[in-house]
Amino acid sequence: MRNLSLPLALTARISPVVVLAAAGWALSSGPATTPATQKESAPQSADESPSGASTAAATKRYAAAPAPCGSIGAATIKSLVPGAKTAGKEIPSTDTALRRTCSWNALKGYDYRWLDVSFEITESDAAAAKSYKENVAEKSGGGSMPGVGDAGYSVVNLTTENKQQTREGVVMIQASNALVTVTYNGSDFESKKAPSTDEINKGAIKAAKEAVAALEGGQKA
């Protein structure tokens, strides 16, 4: 009987407890976290004059976050997270008008996938741009993703714990006064290898584009 151990960072992402009787091991649930990665990028400085900040503060396109679990199409969920319920699970928020997140996760055979889609509504374009730059500065090794929203960034990182690889892609988009963040990761518990960078990156970008389209088609201020 094979004993397959999960990395702590990935174990914390799996909810509820998944028992694999045939394999003789279990996955324990816990709060969603992002695998630790190097965070050494320095943010780009932004020139904000009082008049510019005042003008940006008056711009507020979006009044509320859209329903996150309805922002990604069922076909995309089935493709990115095989075996997951397409309805997803919304994460409790202290203010659902301003911040909402939905998660999908599933273990099919030995392949595990996790997808998060999060929306945050800020008070102005300037506030969103500031938060976006700070968030990008915390992730290293990625690049810009043009053509979606006002600004976009995509990064993929690989972590290894107890010889188990996990590859995670994060896409961050600023669209007017809204921030959209997509996190997508995966592991293979039999081979202990992670999906390819290309697979994870393309999956995260696909979900991000659908999320932004849902935002743009939803409620506006």
Side-chain angles (χ1 to χ4, degrees), residues 1-189:
M1 184 175 297
R2 180 178 298 178
N3 181 20
L4 300 177
S5 60
L6 288 172
L8 295 178
L10 188 57
T11 301
R13 275 192 167 278
I14 302 176
S15 175
V17 176
V18 181
V19 180
L20 301 182
W25 54 280
L27 308 178
S28 302
S29 64
T33 61
T34 301
T37 57
Q38 293 78 17
K39 301 177 180 179
E40 300 175 355
S41 293
Q44 291 183 334
S45 60
D47 296 327
E48 295 183 1
S49 65
S51 60
S54 151
T55 302
T59 306
K60 185 175 181 179
R61 183 178 185 187
Y62 301 105
C69 293
S71 65
I72 308 298
T76 298
I77 296 302
K78 291 177 181 179
S79 172
L80 299 183
V81 193
K85 294 182 179 179
T86 56
K89 180 179 181 180
E90 185 161 357
I91 306 302
S93 171
T94 55
D95 190 340
T96 54
L98 302 180
R99 189 175 296 103
R100 298 181 74 175
T101 300
C102 188
S103 291
W104 297 263
N105 64 85
L107 181 69
K108 188 171 183 180
Y110 291 97
D111 289 325
Y112 177 73
R113 296 292 184 275
W114 177 288
L115 175 68
D116 276 351
V117 175
S118 176
F119 296 93
E120 181 178 355
I121 305 301
T122 67
E123 61 186 11
S124 67
D125 287 17
K130 182 175 183 293
S131 292
Y132 170 80
K133 290 178 182 178
E134 291 172 349
N135 294 339
V136 167
E138 293 180 357
K139 298 290 183 179
S140 62
S144 62
M145 196 185 85
V148 183
D150 298 316
Y153 179 82
S154 174
V155 61
V156 177
N157 284 300
L158 176 69
T159 60
T160 303
E161 290 188 33
N162 298 325
K163 298 182 179 181
Q164 173 66 61
Q165 293 182 346
T166 299
R167 184 165 272 117
E168 178 171 277
V170 178
V171 173
M172 294 176 279
I173 304 292
Q174 180 217 340
S176 187
N177 63 307
L179 297 170
V180 180
T181 303
V182 169
T183 303
Y184 180 51
N185 69 35
S187 297
D188 184 320
F189 296 139

